[in-house]
């Protein structure tokens, strides 16, 4: 069947845009979460919304599932392909279509990288605010699908707060525009973060933000993680909303040191990176307060970036953290749990207990300001049983997050990886209700099936209206 | 009998009176539930008895929008008005939907915090604000309710209780039903609880206010030096690194002078407000807002205009040029959202046609529509209908209260 479909795909796309060669197919077998793998049935590289619509319509005709893929940096297996389906890759849709500074917006194709937008407008004094650490590579389409955040989302919010309109190909193969200007249900907001299960974004209008007048970055070293935690609470308690507050523990610092020689203060049990930005006068006042708070919380060394280079040096250790643990451990699992900020000390103590109980090391890197933890669970896949133990620890950490009123994912998405944890956070009714949205968009269950929800809801026919015909049925389709 | 079935829920009930009419349609009963479970019990009965249901918050906007096709049961959320949880250290809040924004403001102020949303109409409840997606001046900085909403509890037409999101600010687990219910006008179900992200109360607030002549009626001498088109000034203000929170325009009388007022809040507000004043010729700086700040213009018919922010100035000029008797214009010029008060709905079609080339939308929120489509074109209406069909297949939730008969 896939072979027949591939033939038909070649009729709607240029030959070289349809990949069936097994070796080439294998390059798409996983996303950033490499332990979930599947060779896609066929891969297409469309160049326009119309081409994507044509592909989706063929998938409907053949009743074959399709999965969208941007840059494949996702960390929840969201872009894991289906061997019985089509993988729609947006890497040939990389044009910035419009930069409109008076309206403070840009219109881009989904394959454009996050950073490319900022690079295109930086000289004019603007930037695109959401800044996932993967921003050099990840695509804006992937960001929309995951509602990606970044270190600076504490102050500026997530992708959903910065996307003004979307063109999408619905799972029926129609091209529809969702815009914040429309009245009615916020479908734009509902689509963002739906992980490719409600259709494929083909054109994205993003808000451009004015670059702040001043940015000040401070690195504070603490003997213990508790000291850092106290500083975070006091900063928030003082009514300050920094652009970012990031924390790393000793093990994460050790890894970063080994990987990029970030030269954080020796002997630190934790480092805190606090960035303030905004009007110069405002930042100056808040900065004095932050510095004082860090000292009062026991910081033994504070460094303040005096230049863009020094700022980059402070951030280098933090931004490299995920990859860096590869230097101190053969394998690792990245978690993405969230806890209310006030529960951080308890949850970190809980993670410590898990490390002891299972003999597994955990390096902690987190967006401390919003309680988003990225524990890196380290293990040696050559040692029998370690992988399973790491997996258990990882799951227990999510349980801790849920127990404290948090979430199983702050920014990486549910994908295939965390769908089995969804029932721990939501009731059956919650999940069934969410899937009503899916049934409205994708009743045939072909758009990235098997992601987010552990058990699909059967949609059935569009429910019949009991009392007479819909008054506006005629103009419906 | 439906009477008995409703009574069997134990929820406080009373027969509806004329004052309970929803855009002229009088329900049969009014129910006053005190919990999400009570709302669910009511809706289960409504499902069994095929009753049409309209949820109501403060009742401030009941005469807004088109009338429901039918309405048996008004679910009044006035008694669902508790703060369920406020953890100051986490800057998050969980409230029942019937609480008014004013009550909330007073409660949060004690902790030095606020929900950074304005109160568009006195008495507006959290649920009403979400259902109508109305926002005030500070949308320029903080966005609208959907941007601060982090979790929601809803009861569907069949009585199912569903939650999404949670009480942490950062959370991408599952679909965001909160977004879906924002702007739903009661047509998808009843919102019973909402969780929000809070902000610290700004230590200082300053308003920079100036009057400008307009380019209509050039015959009279103008009081101030002014840019003919407010556009360039709005651009400069929006890009100002003093980072204003709101940029509001008021042109709510028939004269040829309009007022711009800019809010600067937070640390060093005074210094930053001075920087704004340097841009605005002849402006005055104060620590109180002008009297009209954040209020809807007087109206018989009330329309909302939404344009991309870069053409806000042009939109003002289009309004100036249109024949709109009794026109009063006010709104968030920095964000491109205005409210237009009219003597009747006669000018709506015309102003919609003028703004369409700018990518603008005009919605009639309240009052006679003068024969115009209240909502104007909505690109995703087809998808919205499909959502409605899934959530409320029998069309019993506020039927007809939203576009296209939804
Ligand atoms: C080193 C590293 C650091 C990271 N740091 C962060 C971080 O700080 N913050 C953060 O939020 N994430 C982070 N991530 C995760 C990841 O980069 C983001 O989730 C990103 O948005 C994925 O983009 P992508 O283009 O790689 O998407 P992919 O991995 O290709 O796909 C992700 C999901 O999006 C769907 N999708 C892709 N394109 C479309 C489209 N056009 N329409 C609809 N659905 C589509 C896919 O089906 C899939 O479900 C990090 C990842 C890595 C490897």
């Amino acid at each position: 069947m896939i072979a027949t479909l591939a033939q038909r795909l070649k009729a709607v796309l240029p030959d070289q845009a349809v990949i069936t060669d097994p070796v080439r197919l294998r390059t798409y077998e996983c996303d950033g979460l490499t332990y979930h793998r599947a060779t896609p049935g066929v891969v297409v590289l469309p160049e326009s919304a119309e081409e994507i619509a044509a592909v989706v319509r063929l998938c409907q005709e053949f009743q074959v599932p399709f999965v969208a893929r941007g840059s494949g940096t996702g960390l929840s297996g969201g872009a894991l392909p289906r061997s019985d389906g089509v993988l729609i890759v947006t890497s040939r849709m990389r044009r910035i279509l419009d930069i409109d500074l008076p309206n403070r917006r840009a219109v881009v194709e989904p394959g454009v990288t996050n950073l490319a937008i900022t690079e295109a407008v930086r000289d004019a004094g603007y930037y695109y605010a959401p800044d996932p650490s993967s921003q050099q590579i990840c695509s804006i389409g992937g960001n929309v699908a995951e509602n990606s955040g970044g270190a600076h989302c504490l102050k500026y919010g997530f992708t959903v707060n910065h996307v003004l309109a979307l063109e999408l190909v619905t799972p029926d193969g129609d091209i529809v525009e969702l815009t914040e200007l429309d009245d009615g249900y916020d479908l734009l907001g509902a689509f963002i973060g739906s992980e490719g299960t409600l259709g494929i974004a083909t054109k994205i209008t993003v808000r451009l933000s004015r670059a702040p007048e001043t940015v000040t970055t401070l690195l504070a070293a603490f003997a213990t993680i508790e000291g850092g935690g106290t500083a975070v609470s006091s900063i928030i308690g003082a009514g300050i909303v920094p652009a970012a507050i990031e924390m790393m523990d000793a093990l994460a610092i050790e890894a970063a040191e080994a990987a990029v020689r970030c030269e954080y203060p020796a002997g630190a049990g934790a480092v805190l990176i606090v960035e303030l930005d905004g009007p110069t006068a405002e930042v100056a006042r808040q900065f004095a307060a932050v510095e004082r708070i860090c000292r009062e919380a026991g910081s033994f060394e504070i460094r303040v970036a005096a230049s863009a280079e020094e700022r980059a040096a402070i951030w280098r250790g933090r931004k490299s953290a995920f990859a860096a643990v590869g230097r101190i451990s053969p394998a690792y699992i990245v978690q993405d749990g969230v806890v209310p900020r006030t529960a951080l000390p308890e949850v970190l103590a809980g993670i410590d207990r898990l490390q002891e109980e299972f003999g597994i090391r955990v390096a902690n890197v987190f967006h401390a300001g919003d309680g988003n933890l990225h524990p890196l669970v380290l293990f040696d896949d050559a040692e029998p049983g370690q992988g399973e133990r790491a997996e258990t620890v990882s799951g227990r950490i999510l349980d801790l997050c849920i127990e404290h009123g948090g979430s199983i994912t702050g920014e990486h998405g549910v994908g295939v990886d965390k769908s089995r944890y969804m029932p721990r956070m939501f009731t059956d009714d919650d999940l069934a209700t969410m899937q009503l949205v899916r049934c409205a968009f994708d009743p045939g269950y072909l758009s990235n099936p098997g992601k987010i929800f552990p058990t699909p809801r059967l949609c059935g026919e569009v429910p019949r209206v009991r009392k007479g015909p819909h008054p506006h049925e005629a103009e419906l389709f | 009998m439906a009477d008995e079935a409703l009574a069997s829920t134990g929820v406080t009930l009373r027969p509806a009176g004329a004052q309970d009419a929803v855009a002229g349609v009088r329900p049969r009963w009014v129910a006053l539930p005190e919990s999400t479970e009570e709302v669910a019990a009511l809706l289960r009965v409504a499902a069994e008895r095929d009753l049409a249901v309209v949820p109501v918050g403060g009742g401030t906007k009941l005469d807004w929008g088109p009338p429901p096709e039918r309405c048996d049961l008004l679910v009044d959320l006035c008694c669902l008005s508790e703060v369920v949880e406020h953890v100051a250290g986490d800057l998050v809040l969980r409230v029942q939907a019937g609480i008014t924004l004013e009550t909330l403001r007073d409660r949060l102020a004690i902790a030095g915090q606020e929900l950074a949303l304005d109160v568009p109409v006195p008495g507006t409840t959290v649920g009403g604000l979400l259902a109508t997606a109305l926002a005030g001046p500070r949308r320029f900085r903080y966005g609208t309710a959907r941007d601060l909403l982090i979790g929601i509890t809803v009861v569907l037409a069949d009585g199912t209780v569903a939650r999404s999101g949670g009480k942490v600010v950062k959370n991408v687990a599952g679909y965001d039903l909160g977004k879906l219910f924002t702007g739903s006008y009661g047509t998808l179900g009843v919102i019973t609880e909402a969780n929000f992200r809070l902000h610290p109360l700004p230590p200082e607030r300053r308003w920079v206010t100036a009057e400008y002549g307009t380019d209509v009626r050039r015959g009279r001498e103008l009081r101030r030096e002014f840019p003919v088109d407010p556009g360039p000034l709005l651009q400069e203000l929006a890009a100002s690194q003093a980072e204003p929170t709101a940029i509001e325009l008021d042109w709510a009388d028939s004269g040829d002078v309009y007022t711009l007022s800019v809010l600067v809040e937070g640390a060093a507000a005074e210094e930053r407000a001075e920087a704004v004043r340097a841009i605005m010729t002849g402006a005055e700086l104060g620590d109180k807002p002008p009297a009209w700040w954040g209020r809807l213009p007087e109206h018989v018919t009330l329309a909302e205009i939404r344009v991309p922010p870069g053409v806000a100035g042009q939109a003002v000029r289009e309004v100036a040029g249109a024949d709109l008797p009794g026109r009063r214009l006010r709104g968030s010029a920095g964000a491109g959202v205005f409210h237009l008060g009219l003597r009747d709905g006669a000018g709506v079609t015309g102003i919609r046609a003028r703004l369409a080339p700018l990518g603008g939308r005009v919605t009639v929120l309240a009052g006679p529509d003068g024969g115009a489509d209240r909502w104007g074109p909505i690109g995703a209406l087809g998808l919205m209908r499909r959502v409605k069909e899934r959530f409320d297949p029998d069309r019993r939730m506020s039927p007809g209260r939203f576009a296209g008969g939804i």
Side-chain angles (χ1 to χ4, degrees), chain A residues 31-32 52 67-80 87-88 90 110-112 131-135 137-151 159 191 194-197 199-202 204 318-319 322-323 332 367 372 374 410-413 415 448 451, chain B residues 170:
Chain A
D31 61 9
I52 291 182
V67 177
R69 177 186 168 106
S71 304
T73 67
L75 291 174
S76 53
L80 179 73
L87 186 71
I88 302 173
T90 61
V112 169
D131 61 336
S133 304
S134 51
Q135 68 182 154
I137 323 165
C138 66
S139 73
I140 206 75
N143 291 178
V144 164
E146 302 288 6
N147 189 17
S148 299
T159 303
F191 184 89
S194 64
E195 305 192 19
T197 61
I200 301 183
T202 50
I204 296 128
R318 167 63 188 89
K319 294 223 167 178
F322 290 3
Y332 62 93
H367 306 297
N372 185 193
H374 289 313
E411 56 183 12
H412 295 167
N448 210 4
K451 313 290 164 72
Chain B
K170 204 169 177 187

Side-chain angles (χ1 to χ4, degrees), chain B residues 266-325:
Chain B
E270 180 85 21
E271 273 172 85
R272 291 155 54 208
E274 283 296 352
V276 169
R277 173 147 78 171
I279 308 175
M280 292 169 68
T281 318
E284 280 166 18
L285 199 156
D287 55 10
K288 293 267 177 320
W292 50 267
W293 183 268
R295 295 177 183 216
L296 293 171
E298 230 178 89
H299 62 269
V300 176
T301 290
L302 179 70
E304 183 171 274
I305 293 175
R306 297 183 297 277
V307 295
V311 297
Q314 245 171 297
V316 173
R317 286 160 58 91
E318 290 297 340
V319 172
D323 177 26
L324 297 168

Side-chain angles (χ1 to χ4, degrees), chain A residues 2 38-42 81-85:
Chain A
I2 287 287
T39 307
V42 53
R82 298 270 301 212
S83 51
D84 59 347

Side-chain angles (χ1 to χ4, degrees), chain B residues 12-28:
Chain B
T12 311
L13 275 178
R14 64 172 171 82
Q19 77 284 2
D20 300 309
V22 182
V25 178
R26 187 160 155 183
R28 285 149 74 192

Side-chain angles (χ1 to χ4, degrees), chain A residues 66-124:
Chain A
F66 56 90
V67 177
R69 177 186 168 106
S71 304
T73 67
L75 291 174
S76 53
L80 179 73
R82 298 270 301 212
S83 51
D84 59 347
V86 180
L87 186 71
I88 302 173
V89 184
T90 61
S91 57
R92 290 201 180 160
M93 295 175 74
R94 291 230 161 127
R95 284 178 305 162
I96 294 181
L97 301 171
D98 186 30
I99 291 176
D100 179 359
L101 292 180
N103 282 313
R104 308 190 288 278
R105 61 188 52 185
V107 184
V108 303
E109 290 185 331
V112 169
T113 63
N114 173 294
L115 191 60
I117 302 178
T118 290
E119 279 172 349
V121 296
R122 186 182 279 138
D123 289 347

Side-chain angles (χ1 to χ4, degrees), chain B residues 317-323 349-358:
Chain B
R317 286 160 58 91
E318 290 297 340
V319 172
D323 177 26
T349 308
I351 191 69
R352 188 174 279 152
R354 277 173 173 262
L355 295 177
L358 304 179

Side-chain angles (χ1 to χ4, degrees), chain A residues 372-451:
Chain A
N372 185 193
L373 311 170
H374 289 313
L376 298 148
V377 183
L378 313 183
F379 65 101
D380 184 350
D381 40 0
E383 288 274 318
Q386 272 218 15
E388 289 74 25
R389 289 216 302 283
E391 186 66 36
T392 308
V393 168
S394 178
R396 292 278 189 94
I397 292 175
L398 292 186
D399 285 339
L400 273 175
C401 293
I402 297 169
E403 272 164 37
H404 287 85
S407 169
I408 58 172
T409 172
E411 56 183 12
H412 295 167
V414 178
V416 279
D417 195 49
K418 281 178 290 257
S419 58
R420 68 203 143 103
Y421 296 110
M422 287 289 274
R424 299 193 197 173
M425 204 175 145
F426 295 108
T427 67
D428 289 351
D429 280 349
D430 298 342
L431 295 174
T433 303
M434 290 180 194
Q435 292 194 77
L436 287 177
V437 183
R438 211 257 173 66
C439 289
F441 278 73
D442 179 29
Y445 198 60
L446 293 181
S447 191
N448 210 4
K451 313 290 164 72

Side-chain angles (χ1 to χ4, degrees), chain B residues 186-327:
Chain B
T187 62
L188 292 181
V190 181
I191 301 169
T192 59
E193 273 185 24
N195 305 356
F196 290 99
R197 162 184 195 172
L198 302 176
H199 282 84
L201 261 181
E204 304 165 52
R205 286 192 166 129
R206 293 288 181 278
W207 279 264
V208 187
T209 308
E211 290 181 350
Y212 298 89
T214 72
D215 61 337
V216 282
R217 271 191 262 149
R218 286 173 181 280
R220 195 174 118 185
E221 200 195 301
L222 298 164
R223 288 164 51 195
R224 304 278 158 94
E225 184 188 322
F226 68 94
V228 168
D229 175 352
L233 177 57
L234 290 174
Q235 289 289 329
E236 211 180 331
L237 288 169
S240 162
Q241 286 184 315
E243 295 192 1
T245 301
I247 303 169
E248 292 285 299
L249 178 143
D250 174 50
W251 189 25
D253 60 33
S254 54
D256 53 5
V257 171
Y258 62 82
T259 308
L260 278 184
S261 185
V262 176
L263 168 63
V264 178
E265 53 182 9
E270 180 85 21
E271 273 172 85
R272 291 155 54 208
E274 283 296 352
V276 169
R277 173 147 78 171
I279 308 175
M280 292 169 68
T281 318
E284 280 166 18
L285 199 156
D287 55 10
K288 293 267 177 320
W292 50 267
W293 183 268
R295 295 177 183 216
L296 293 171
E298 230 178 89
H299 62 269
V300 176
T301 290
L302 179 70
E304 183 171 274
I305 293 175
R306 297 183 297 277
V307 295
V311 297
Q314 245 171 297
V316 173
R317 286 160 58 91
E318 290 297 340
V319 172
D323 177 26
L324 297 168
R327 168 232 17 91

